[in-house]
Amino acid sequence: MGPYSGGKVSNNMGYGILQMDYEARFKAAVDAVRREGRYRVFADLARKAGDFPHAVNRRPDGDYPVVIWCSNDYLGMGQNPGAIAAVAEAARAYGVGSGGTRNISGTTHLHVILENELADLHGKEAALLFTSGYVSNDATIATVAHILSDCVIFSDAMNHASMIAGVRHSGADKKIFRHNDPAHLEQLLKETDPARPKLIVFESVYSMDGDISPIAAYCDLADKYGAITYLDEVHAVGLYGRRGGGISERDGVADRVTIIEGTLAKAFGLMGGYITGSKNLIDAIRCIAPGFIFTTTLAPPIVAAAIENVRHVRAHDELRQRHQERAARLKYLLTDAGLPVMPSATHIVPVFVGDPVLCKQATDMLLEEHGVYIQPINYPTVPKGTERLRITPTPLHDDELMASLIDALVQVWQDLKLRRAA
Ligand SMILES: *Cc1c(COP(=O)(O)O)cnc(C)c1O
């Protein structure tokens, strides 16, 4: 009998124990995912610094050139020569790892500089780095609500998994308001005990539909009902506002938002997350949040490159303008070709498929027959029945690449008899 097969065996203490077939259960779980058409296959890609969005796709039968159309490295900052140089320099100066948590030898001067830079970007008193945007949301939301005992959290229905995790981990009462619906939020605020602390959590750019939340309206409600606000600007930092401070900068409301959260992993091209807010708030999270305290901090080369990229993106508004122009151009070309581009107010260009199996087939075909890499977006990332391709053109996707993309999509839409635009 193999170690993982079921049946009654004896352990070395001589007791009879029932051996569970754990492996079979893992496999059954995956089989269920597969039947629903949402089994995940990771494309094995080698990006080449200096050549993005071109890359090489490694498959069992060899290497194939592909163009990446679904990267969250929205501005191509992952290959910024200044950042690459900063990585090398910091590694030589400090070594490759940080060597500990922030409290136990893991704070370099670079961390301090980057936090000051990020606080300044959002016009806040202070900032705090985390190992990812996910962790920053989870740790901060849970800790803030925990500190404000008896707090009620008001959370947008479409919030990211990391914010939902924070809400759950807080153990606080929660009320979910309809997506981007201040009227519904007000109704929920109105029926909540005025004496209880209130935290409103939402995003600026929702990254699957590419729509934008009414930040000012939420701030008005926060004022009216005595709440504080937590804003995830992950898909907007570096991309909106004259200095890349996000939608809150663009709309002139950054000073009204209590906590602005962002990532270094998208427009800033690296990895890591952060929050910005008042000195007192940042100090509280720094001293209390387990997700900040009990984990090794970002490696110095990453932090050095982040300083470089945040400064670069901040100073180059023309990158943001070109980014918007490219997205608008692609939406126009898709519409013109009769492809079902979904309405989007931002740089995110979703194309509707509406079926998980077809969505996966379409992206397989794009990759294998056309050298176009777009990841299918299926449940649970988006609701069932709204499966889609999510295209993210960068300033580096030129007219020629766009023309080949449109040709490839038209061909795939024909081959799979997919629904065209109404
Ligand atoms: C990607 C994402 C995060 C997580 O950021 P990471 O730095 O990748 O962990 C948080 N919030 C939203 C809305 C995101 O899309």
Side-chain angles (χ1 to χ4, degrees), residues 72 132-135 137 160 162-163 203 205 207 232 234-235 261-266 271-273:
N72 282 336
S132 76
Y134 187 104
V135 173
N137 277 335
H160 188 259
S162 55
M163 302 167 85
E203 302 175 24
V205 171
S207 75
D232 175 319
V234 159
H235 289 279
E261 181 268 353
T263 186
L264 303 171
K266 287 162 187 174
M271 66 182 302

Side-chain angles (χ1 to χ4, degrees), residues 81-227:
I84 293 170
V87 165
E89 200 180 307
R92 273 194 292 268
Y94 302 99
V96 292
S98 64
T101 66
R102 283 293 286 278
N103 192 41
I104 305 178
S105 90
T107 299
T108 68
H109 188 54
L110 295 172
H111 292 81
V112 179
I113 293 172
L114 180 56
E115 284 176 341
N116 289 339
E117 188 73 35
L118 293 166
D120 188 67
L121 177 66
H122 296 290
K124 299 290 183 198
E125 288 174 1
L128 196 65
L129 290 169
F130 291 81
T131 43
S132 76
Y134 187 104
V135 173
S136 65
N137 277 335
D138 184 5
T140 307
I141 294 170
T143 303
V144 167
H146 180 75
I147 292 170
L148 307 170
S149 49
D150 200 32
C151 176
V152 183
I153 301 180
F154 299 81
S155 180
D156 185 288
M158 299 283 271
N159 277 345
H160 188 259
S162 55
M163 302 167 85
I164 296 170
V167 173
R168 287 225 178 94
H169 291 154
S170 75
D173 287 346
K174 64 164 192 284
K175 300 192 177 187
I176 310 295
F177 60 95
R178 283 192 292 273
H179 177 55
N180 281 355
D181 187 344
H184 189 219
L185 171 60
E186 174 152 32
Q187 191 186 318
L188 297 176
L189 284 163
K190 210 181 266 176
E191 63 197 33
T192 304
D193 180 353
R196 296 181 72 179
K198 300 173 188 71
L199 173 65
I200 307 171
V201 299
F202 57 102
E203 302 175 24
S204 56
V205 171
Y206 282 84
S207 75
M208 292 302 147
D209 290 315
D211 53 343
I212 296 177
S213 68
I215 303 175
Y218 293 159
C219 292
D220 290 344
L221 290 173
D223 290 346
K224 188 168 169 188
Y225 292 92

